[in-house]
Amino acid sequence: PTRRVPLGRLAGARSGDKGGDANVGVWVRTDDAWRWLAHELTVERFRELLPECADLTVVRHDLPNLRALNFVVQGLLGEGVAAQARFDPQAKGVGEWLRARHLDIPEVLL
Protein backbone atom coordinates (compact mmCIF):
# COMPACT_ATOMS: atom_id res chain seq x y z
CA PRO A 1 0.00 0.00 0.00
CA THR A 2 1.02 3.59 -0.67
CA ARG A 3 0.14 6.96 0.78
CA ARG A 4 0.13 10.26 -1.12
CA VAL A 5 2.44 12.51 0.87
CA PRO A 6 5.08 15.16 0.18
CA LEU A 7 8.39 13.75 -1.00
CA GLY A 8 9.95 15.56 1.96
CA ARG A 9 8.42 13.01 4.35
CA LEU A 10 11.01 10.58 3.00
CA ALA A 11 13.78 12.61 1.39
CA GLY A 12 16.03 15.53 2.16
CA ALA A 13 17.13 18.00 -0.51
CA ARG A 14 19.49 20.88 -1.07
CA SER A 15 19.76 23.11 -4.09
CA GLY A 16 21.69 26.03 -5.45
CA ASP A 17 23.09 27.64 -8.57
CA LYS A 18 26.02 26.98 -10.85
CA GLY A 19 25.94 29.97 -13.19
CA GLY A 20 22.69 29.68 -15.12
CA ASP A 21 22.08 26.10 -14.03
CA ALA A 22 20.28 24.82 -10.94
CA ASN A 23 21.78 21.96 -8.98
CA VAL A 24 19.39 19.83 -6.86
CA GLY A 25 20.54 17.02 -4.55
CA VAL A 26 18.02 14.57 -3.09
CA TRP A 27 18.86 11.88 -0.53
CA VAL A 28 17.24 9.28 1.70
CA ARG A 29 18.41 7.43 4.83
CA THR A 30 17.81 3.73 4.13
CA ASP A 31 18.68 1.24 1.42
CA ASP A 32 14.99 0.43 0.85
CA ALA A 33 14.17 4.11 0.43
CA TRP A 34 17.13 4.47 -1.95
CA ARG A 35 15.86 1.66 -4.17
CA TRP A 36 12.45 3.38 -4.34
CA LEU A 37 13.92 6.84 -4.95
CA ALA A 38 16.31 5.67 -7.69
CA HIS A 39 13.43 3.96 -9.48
CA GLU A 40 10.77 6.65 -8.92
CA LEU A 41 12.59 9.95 -9.33
CA THR A 42 13.53 9.74 -12.99
CA VAL A 43 14.28 12.80 -15.11
CA GLU A 44 10.76 12.55 -16.52
CA ARG A 45 9.21 12.44 -13.03
CA PHE A 46 11.42 15.35 -11.92
CA ARG A 47 10.07 17.40 -14.84
CA GLU A 48 6.48 16.46 -13.93
CA LEU A 49 6.99 17.53 -10.32
CA LEU A 50 8.73 20.78 -11.29
CA PRO A 51 6.90 21.97 -14.43
CA GLU A 52 9.19 24.99 -14.80
CA CYS A 53 11.86 22.45 -15.80
CA ALA A 54 9.70 20.65 -18.38
CA ASP A 55 11.33 22.20 -21.45
CA LEU A 56 14.87 22.36 -20.05
CA THR A 57 17.69 19.84 -20.20
CA VAL A 58 17.82 17.92 -16.93
CA VAL A 59 20.74 15.59 -16.20
CA ARG A 60 20.52 13.04 -13.38
CA HIS A 61 23.57 11.74 -11.54
CA ASP A 62 23.19 8.68 -9.31
CA LEU A 63 25.22 8.60 -6.09
CA PRO A 64 24.31 5.18 -4.66
CA ASN A 65 26.94 5.16 -1.92
CA LEU A 66 25.32 8.32 -0.54
CA ARG A 67 21.76 7.09 -1.29
CA ALA A 68 21.40 10.28 -3.31
CA LEU A 69 20.51 11.68 -6.70
CA ASN A 70 21.77 14.94 -8.13
CA PHE A 71 19.88 16.80 -10.86
CA VAL A 72 21.39 19.57 -12.94
CA VAL A 73 18.76 21.75 -14.61
CA GLN A 74 20.49 23.53 -17.44
CA GLY A 75 19.40 27.11 -18.07
CA LEU A 76 16.81 27.42 -15.28
CA LEU A 77 18.49 30.63 -14.12
CA GLY A 78 19.13 32.09 -17.55
CA GLU A 79 22.48 33.86 -17.52
CA GLY A 80 22.84 33.53 -13.75
CA VAL A 81 21.93 35.31 -10.55
CA ALA A 82 23.18 38.76 -11.58
CA ALA A 83 21.33 38.74 -14.90
CA GLN A 84 17.70 38.22 -13.89
CA ALA A 85 14.80 39.07 -11.62
CA ARG A 86 13.60 35.50 -10.91
CA PHE A 87 11.96 35.05 -7.49
CA ASP A 88 14.62 32.47 -6.52
CA PRO A 89 17.64 33.70 -8.52
CA GLN A 90 20.09 31.35 -6.81
CA ALA A 91 17.79 28.29 -6.94
CA LYS A 92 18.03 27.91 -3.15
CA GLY A 93 14.32 27.02 -2.88
CA VAL A 94 14.14 24.43 -5.68
CA GLY A 95 15.02 21.54 -3.37
CA GLU A 96 12.30 22.49 -0.88
CA TRP A 97 9.82 23.01 -3.73
CA LEU A 98 10.59 19.45 -4.89
CA ARG A 99 10.20 18.11 -1.33
CA ALA A 100 6.76 19.75 -1.13
CA ARG A 101 5.47 17.86 -4.17
CA HIS A 102 3.18 14.91 -3.43
CA LEU A 103 3.93 11.36 -4.55
CA ASP A 104 2.51 7.93 -3.83
CA ILE A 105 5.10 6.54 -1.44
CA PRO A 106 5.01 2.99 -0.06
CA GLU A 107 3.77 3.11 3.54
CA VAL A 108 6.57 0.79 4.67
CA LEU A 109 9.06 3.58 3.87
CA LEU A 110 7.27 6.26 5.87
Side-chain angles (χ1 to χ4, degrees):
T2 62
R3 191 177 324 156
R4 191 152 188 86
V5 297
L7 177 60
R9 288 276 307 270
L10 180 66
R14 180 138 176 138
S15 58
D17 63 293
K18 298 293 181 214
D21 300 340
N23 197 18
V24 184
V26 183
W27 65 88
V28 292
R29 294 180 183 211
T30 69
D31 290 339
D32 288 340
W34 162 247
R35 283 187 284 279
W36 177 84
L37 182 70
H39 175 76
E40 180 67 24
L41 197 54
T42 62
V43 168
E44 293 77 21
R45 177 61 112 179
F46 184 91
R47 285 188 179 121
E48 288 173 13
L49 295 171
L50 301 177
E52 61 270 32
C53 301
D55 296 329
L56 300 173
T57 299
V58 177
V59 179
R60 179 179 121 161
H61 301 278
D62 294 8
L63 304 163
N65 291 340
L66 300 175
R67 297 185 192 113
L69 301 171
N70 185 71
F71 294 89
V72 178
V73 184
Q74 297 176 357
L76 181 65
L77 304 174
E79 295 178 30
V81 65
Q84 64 164 300
R86 180 182 154 87
F87 172 72
D88 183 18
Q90 293 179 309
K92 298 293 184 189
V94 177
E96 288 305 309
W97 176 232
L98 178 64
R99 291 182 74 232
R101 310 305 292 164
H102 286 73
L103 292 167
D104 295 322
I105 299 178
E107 289 183 357
V108 69
L109 300 178
L110 298 174

